[in-house]
Structure formats: C-alpha cells, structure tokens
Amino acid sequence: MEVPAGLAGGRVSSAAALPSTSQPAAVQITVLKAQDLKTLKSDVLVTLVRVEYNRAVLGESSKVDVLPDGTASYNFTTSFECSADGPNSLDVIAQKPLLLTVVEVGQKEKKKQEKTTPLGQAVVDLLPLLQGECSLKVSAPLYAVPASPSESPRLEVMAGLEVTVCTKEPLLSATEFSSGSLLSVTLEAAYSVPEALATDSQQNYMACLQVPAADEKELPLLFRNGIVKADGEKEPLPRPKNWPLGNILAPGALSIPNSFIVGGPYEDEDGELTRSEDMEFRLQAESTKRIVWDMERRCYLDAAAVAVLQRRIAECRYWPVELCRVSTAPASKGKASKVDKGDETQISFHGVAYVNMLPLLCPGVKEIRGAFRVFGYQDSEVFEKTKSQHSIFWELKSHLSLIKEGLGTPPLPSKTQKEDKDSNRTSPSKIQLSDGTGGPDSTRICSVDGQQYSEAGTFLVLEIKLDKALVPKRLREELTRRVKEMIPSRPALPAQTEGAKKVVEDYHKRVTSVANAILSEYHKLFGKQLPDQGAIDHQTLEEQKHQLNHELNTSGKYFAFKEQLKYPVVKIVREKYLKTTAFETQEELQAFLSDLYVYLVEQMHVALNQLLSEEGASPAPPSRTTQEQLGLFAREAEANKDYKLASLYHQQRIAQDQHNIQAWLDYGAFCLLHEDTTKAQECFQQALSVDLQHIQSLLLCGIGAVMLQRYEDAEVFFEDACCLEPSNIVAWTLSGLFYELQNNNVQAERNFREAKKLLQTQLSEERRIPEAAEGGEGKKDISPSTDPEEFLPEGVPDGSADKLSEVVDPALACVTSKEEATAPETALEAPSLGSGPHQPPCTIFMKAVEFLMKVNAVQFVHKALAHELLSPQGGPSCGYYLALARTYLLQEDLPRCEQCLQEAVRIDCTNPNVWAQKGHLWYLKGDCGQAKECYERVVSFVEDAVDMHFVYLRLGSIYLEEKEYGRAKQIYLLACDNSASCLTWLGVGIACYRGNPARSF
C-alpha cells in the first residue's frame, strides 16, 4: 500500500535532528532464526519471515523448512534509510517498532499460487538507536495470529525470533544525544464518560495534543481507537503500554516490551483530582463505563525543540488535550449537499482537558502524571487558557478519514502556513459536527454534546515523560561545594606550645601517679603500717626494699612505670630546655643528661613532698558547669529579662566547647529572637561548619538567608537539606514555604506533596507498632523530703491532701483580660503544641511549626500556620491557637495572645500547655492572682506542661510574695527535682528561712 506523503513520518524533523553533514543512515536488520514455531501450529512445515517498517514492506526471506524441534533459520538481511527529510525520521524511529511476521507457506497446487497464512508476529523497539547504541541483538517474543476474527487471541508468548539491528555510526552524535531529549506521552483512559458517548462500538474515539518543535513546527500526538469497556472490575496494575499501530495482526504484539503502566497513589499525582474528597469518585469511576487506550506516543526533540518546549511551557502553563468521537458516513446523493460529495467525517463530543505542564520546569522533574477534567471545547475558553487559536482536529481535518483507517498522523503546518491557509479558506470543510453543521467557524464551536463531559465529571488519566529533565537538578556534590563556599572559613587553631610551667606540672602529676602505684604495691606485699605500730628498723626496710624491687622487676611493672615517665620527660626536654636537635658531641650529650637528671630528681622530690603533705585531704569538687546547666541558666536569665547575662551564658557555653553544634544553634536562636539576624546567621553557619551534614543547621542557615534576603543562598541550603535527608518531613515543608515566598507555587506544591507522602508513611508505620502500656506515666510524685501538708491552703483539714489536685480548685473559670501590660517574656522554651491526649491533628505544617517555634523563626511560623488553617487535615485546632499565641507573645502583642489562648481553652480546656501560657500571660501583665490560678491548675494536671520549670519558678515567686512559704518551699522543691538550678535552690532557701528562720539552718 502506498502511504500518502507526510502521513508516515510523524513529522518532518528539523535539520538538526540528524547531523547536518551526514548522509542518510542505513539501518540494517537481520533475522537470524525462529524458535518454538511448533507451539504456534503443530503441523507447520515451511515458513518465511516478512519485515515491515513504517507501513512499508522491507522484504521477505526465502522459504525455510521448520525442523522437528520447531526452529527455522532465515538469516535474512534487509535495511531502510533514516534521514531528517525522509519518511523514516528520528521521530519515526522513536515511536514506531520494526514489525516481523512469520508466514506459513502451504503446498502449491496446480495453476494456483502458494497459500500463505500469517502465523505469528513480533515487534522490535528501535529506541536504543537513539540512546547511543549502534548494534542490537534481541530475542523478540513471537505472538500467535488468530486464525479467524472469532478466535480468542492468545496473548501469552508462544515462540521467539532472534534479530539483530545495527548501524555503522550512532544516529545521534554525543553532543546531540546530550542536548536532545525524548518525550513520551501515555494516554491511559477516559473515565466517567457520558452515557451517550459510548453507545456505538463502531465509532473511533480519539484524543490528541500537539508538541511544539523547532522552526515553528508542531507535532500532533494522536491517540486513536479507544476501546469502550463496560462496567466491571478496574484495569489491572501493572499493565503493558500499547504501540500506536493499526496494522498488527497479533494482539499480543501490541504491547511495548518492558513498558508498563504502574499507577500509584492519587495524592502523588500532578493532576486535578488528588484531594481526599475525590478519592471515592475516582474509585467508582474506574470500575464503570470507560474508554481505554493504554497507548504511548513518543517523539524525539533536538536541542532547538527542547528550547522551544521550555519556552512554551514558561509562556503558557496549560496545554490542551482534545477528545472527540469521529465517524465517517457516506455523503447524501441526489440533492445538493452543503458539502462536497464523498465521505463526511463527523466529529461529536468534542472536549478538552487542560494539562498543567509547569511542573516540568521544576529542577529534576522529568514526568507528570494525573487525572485531568474534560470540558466542552469552546474556542474562547481554550484560547484564554492555552493561547491555542485552532482545534487540533481542525488542523487534521483533511486526514481524519485516513487516520481512522490507521494510515498515520500528519505534521501540523508551521505558523505562517496556518495563516496562509486560513486566509485562503473559501470552501466549506468536510468535517461535520454532530448537529450536521460544517465549515471552519462551526468546527471551532463546541457542539452541545461536548457539554456532557462537565455534567458527567469526565476525566483523562495521562502521563507525560521526558528522558532528561528540562531543568537539571543540582547534584549532592555540587550542593555541598556551594554550602562550603557560602560558609566563611574559620581560622585554623594555632599550634598550642605548652609552656615550661605546664610540662613541669604534668611531670609532677605523673610522678605522683607512679608513687601512688608503687605505694599500693608495697601495701599489697607488706600491709599498711599504722602510726601506733611504731617505726620499722633500718634492716627491715632494706629487706622490704630489695623484695619490692624484685617484685617490680620480675612482674614488668617497673618497666611500665618507667614508660609512664618517658613522655613527660620528653616534653620537659622540648619545652623547658628547648632541645629538639641532635647533640654534636658525646661530651655535650653527657653534660646535658647530667643536668637533666639533677633537675628531674629535684622535681621528683617536690612532687613527693607535695603528695605527703596533702595526704588525707579530700579532693575539691569540680567547679565547671555542664553544657546543660549553662543552657538552663541562659533561659532563666532570659525569663528575668536579663539579656546581657543570658548572652554571657550562651557565650560561656560555646567557649567551653566550640564544637558543640547545639550551643551554636541555641545562641543563634537567641540572636534571632532579638532581631540580630546577621549574628544569628553567623551562629548557624558556625554550627554547620562543624558538621556539613547536620540537617537542622542547614535548615536554620536557609531560614537566616531568607531573613537576610539572600534567596539564592537559601535555595541551596534548603535543597541540600532535602538531598541530604530525603525522608525529613520538616525539610520538605520548609523548602516548600521558601518556594512559596518566591512565588514558585508549582515547586512549593511538589515539596508539600512529598512531605505529606512521607508523613502518611510515617503514620502508617506508627499504626503498625502496638502502643506501649502507659503504666502510670505522667503522674507527679512529691519528694519524700517535703511535707504535703505545707502546701494546703487555709481552711483545708490536715491529712486531706494526698494529691496536689485536691488543693487546687478544679473548676477554675477562664480568666478575663486586663489592660495592664508589661514587656513579654520572650525567652521561654517554645512550648509543645500538645502531647499525649492533647496531640493536635498531625500535619506537615504543625510539624514545621514545632521546629520553628524552638528557633524563634516567627516569619516562617506565620506562613506555616496560614497553611494549617486552610489544610483539610488541619484547621483552627488547639495547637494552632497555642502556636499563634506564642508568636504574639514573642512579638509583645499581648491582647492578641490573650484572644488566641481563649480560643485554645475553648477547644481543649484540659491542655496543660494552654494554661501554662495563660499563666505566663497574666504574670507578665502583673496580675499575680490570675497567674497563680493558672499555674495551680497546671500543677494539678496529671500530665505536665512542657515548660514546667518556669511554671514552678513563677508560682514559687508568687507564693513568696503572698507569704505562703510552705507552698513556696513545696513548689521550689518540685522545681529542684525537675531541673535544679541556682534559682530553684535559692527559692527553697528563702522559703525555709522566711517560714521558720530558727529551723532553717
């Protein structure tokens, strides 16, 4: 069959598709042999193989006898040419396979031709030729051809063909291969279709979209021959993708080798129906009447086409995918018709889906897949959303009848060609709409039946994939290098030369250690001589000395003690005598050794005398505070609004250990709180310089960079955090918030979706683990050293307080606001947004808020809370209001803080963290009565609030002010048990002294 010009090639590729200086490349095909032919037909005797490509027969092999084991050796070679301007362009290589048909040859009868019957078909994918390969050797599955249309097709692999395909040189040079790309579009199915659409099985259901290419050309990717499937089970997963071919006789050969539709969770898709409320509708639609294609179309894009594709997506994010039903009916005879005589192509149910292509411009994104709603096609609406002026089916109007017969897809004309054709358009079109009207104007107007798509809720499921991302994603190594470049290098620590005094002190310590060890050995041998036993005579001492020397030498302990003294002696030589070079003469060496020996003996006597004089004295306790204590002291100083002292404690903590990452981060959070963003960023970068793979430091550096408006640096930090720890929910969420600040909503939504997927996985894993028995966790015990009766309020009988909750009114009403305000406490630990039974709805944004509150990043907290308010899984929960109140407290906006806490109490009046914050609010306002009631309620709860340390401190101070010294003592002791500090023990001392000065000390 002769194929019309332009239909077979898919599109006329640009000249850059193949090397401009090269001649057409010959693709050579060799069919070696067939195997297991007896499985196709047991009595087959003679066969030949026919090779076809792009609907053209390349040749047939000679007739070959089939051996008893079912093999047939053909050794048949043929070829075709691939060229940019010919019918077999690179686009054709990408989307069309080699078709091999094994034909059975019957015995020749007199005066009759030999009878030939197709026995099986196989396909060979030529795509590897566009991926740098020059030679392929495949064992292609050979599928059976049904003997009659009524026979059920056998889809299983029955036999095989060994085929080799080769070219002299790669079809693409290394430069073209790296700069070009392969685009594939898979149309799976149309679901929830109108009842009237799928009533006639003889109709051809088509869908089409066009891909821009170089030189203003556009390639239409047409999906035809959609199959109507009635109600029943869902399509299986995974299932193979199909070739866009119409001349395959074996149904099994329609499947593309090693290419499958695998599906996936709806929430991971890039389409429109991904919300939780869409799930039930999609599940129901997938098992009702639908139109299935499961077809993949490919096209090769050279470097120029890739650039055009990228530019077009940036200019217009939505691309139209048109859907219609096509039928061809004979023209009416007799009277004149509105159209010319001949076949009339009728289009009905003309719809369009709008595919958001913008995700393909995100770094590293190579594919989008999802469900997209179908609407009735209307010119004005399509132009407004996609800037497309013509229907794709209108552009293909003259070829639709050929396409319906499976002859191919023509290229769309260039932009100038379209304009010329539009200006010269004078005759009515042969395309008829379902209402019988025709012509160019009516073709671009949606027919009434197209509106049924919206009413039925029709949606298309399709996938668009590139083999290379349009915007490459930075590699982890590059991100690490960028992070190193952004962190200023810290000066190397100078070589520490120990002074003579220090090395002598070390020698004294080592002599003391050895002396104690020798004394211990002496005591083991002879026992410890007590003072009342009198002195030991000289002869006995000499005997003990010889025996001790013998024991030390024979046991090897003498050598061990000598080795212990060697290193400090070497240090004395270097630091005291400054001797680091060899001696020139033996006399000089002897003189030095004599001098050194005298000095070492003198210092040995000094050390031994000091040891004997201090024997029996108890060692002094260590005076250095720990890192945890310094951190607590800093927070207490902030609570007292002594910010200078708090800064000093932070600096002492860092000076104690400059490699303590948490110390740097805490100091940075302190600076961030007081709006010293530059210093905060320096602290975060110092923490990151200690460990470039510390995820919290990376995130905080990103936050600091945003606040300093260094957005490029911030992107590197956030991207590096996500690459370093891909399972970190907070990293993906904060990165999404950053991209939202940059108005990059597509990337932001992708990051949020990744975070939600990780959270869902985490929650699923947690649900699999049985919950541990609580066993009384959270109950508060009073220290045995305290007297519970001292905590009783006046009027409560003795012995009636076994629990703290019995002395605090359990029915305290919600406190009311007062207008008095003082500077808010801004350095309390960030309270948890809930724990235990008060855990808020777990969302990615509340997890981010938990992290952000600890570092005082208020700007990001507000953005996360805004998302939480709109999130279907979130909303205005107790945790939401509690976090919002905390931000207002940091910003010294006490009235708004009070409003938020009132809403939090209304939602959950048993949350201890809410009452703790209310107590802090009243305390800062100066209303100690209201603060006292809130704090007492917090203490009475079985579950502790997060910042109990400051609840105890402030409640204790209120009791001291009100001269309730017994209660103050009790509370301060609880604070000492919880986290002891100078302030907690000072409070205990003051309460004891004021309560009973005579018994306090």
Side-chain angles (χ1 to χ4, degrees), residues 315-540:
E315 292 174 351
C316 185
R317 67 171 61 184
Y318 292 107
W319 284 18
V321 178
E322 297 184 40
L323 176 67
C324 73
R325 186 177 73 181
V326 177
S327 60
T328 303
S332 59
K333 298 180 180 180
K335 297 182 179 180
S337 174
K338 293 182 180 180
V339 297
D340 297 337
K341 292 182 180 181
D343 290 344
E344 298 175 353
T345 302
Q346 295 181 346
I347 294 180
S348 58
F349 290 94
H350 192 188
V352 61
Y354 301 102
V355 179
N356 185 5
M357 301 284 285
L358 205 55
L360 291 178
L361 295 186
C362 296
V365 176
K366 296 189 290 186
E367 64 178 287
I368 56 176
R369 180 185 180 275
F372 301 90
R373 292 189 180 277
V374 180
F375 305 92
Y377 189 96
Q378 295 182 0
D379 274 346
S380 58
E381 182 179 349
V382 173
F383 178 76
E384 179 182 356
K385 285 192 173 184
T386 69
K387 309 304 179 186
S388 178
Q389 299 181 352
H390 303 284
S391 164
I392 306 175
F393 291 116
W394 168 255
E395 301 294 339
L396 298 175
K397 61 186 181 297
S398 60
H399 305 291
L400 279 179
S401 60
L402 295 176
I403 293 170
K404 184 173 183 292
E405 296 173 4
L407 295 184
T409 305
L412 292 186
S414 65
K415 192 172 183 181
T416 55
Q417 290 174 327
K418 287 185 191 178
E419 294 171 353
D420 294 341
K421 292 177 70 175
D422 290 341
S423 61
N424 296 329
R425 191 180 293 150
T426 55
S427 60
S429 170
K430 282 193 175 183
I431 292 186
Q432 291 284 334
L433 295 179
S434 59
D435 56 4
T437 61
D441 294 332
S442 60
T443 306
R444 291 176 304 210
I445 300 175
C446 178
S447 56
V448 177
D449 51 24
Q451 300 296 338
Q452 297 183 30
Y453 289 124
S454 300
E455 299 171 1
T458 305
F459 61 92
L460 291 174
V461 177
L462 58 87
E463 174 192 76
I464 300 176
K465 181 185 295 186
L466 291 159
D467 67 335
K468 301 183 186 70
L470 294 177
V471 181
K473 187 176 182 179
R474 283 178 287 213
L475 298 177
R476 175 80 179 90
E477 295 77 12
E478 180 185 356
L479 291 170
T480 302
R481 178 183 57 80
R482 291 284 302 276
V483 169
K484 286 183 179 180
E485 292 174 354
M486 287 186 292
I487 298 178
S489 59
R490 300 175 63 187
L493 294 176
Q496 297 184 358
T497 57
E498 297 177 293
K501 182 179 178 181
K502 178 67 169 57
V503 298
V504 171
E505 289 176 355
D506 290 342
Y507 175 73
H508 288 173
K509 292 179 182 179
R510 190 58 57 89
V511 168
T512 301
S513 175
V514 172
N516 284 324
I518 294 174
L519 186 61
S520 177
E521 292 295 327
Y522 176 85
H523 289 159
K524 288 180 182 179
L525 290 175
F526 310 110
K528 191 171 184 180
Q529 185 73 18
L530 299 178
D532 57 352
Q533 293 178 350
I536 303 175
D537 61 280
H538 179 73
Q539 184 178 358
T540 304

Side-chain angles (χ1 to χ4, degrees), residues 1 14 45 205 302 319 324 834 937:
M1 180 188 302
S14 64
L45 298 177
Y205 300 95
D302 55 31
W319 284 18
C324 73
R937 181 184 284 262

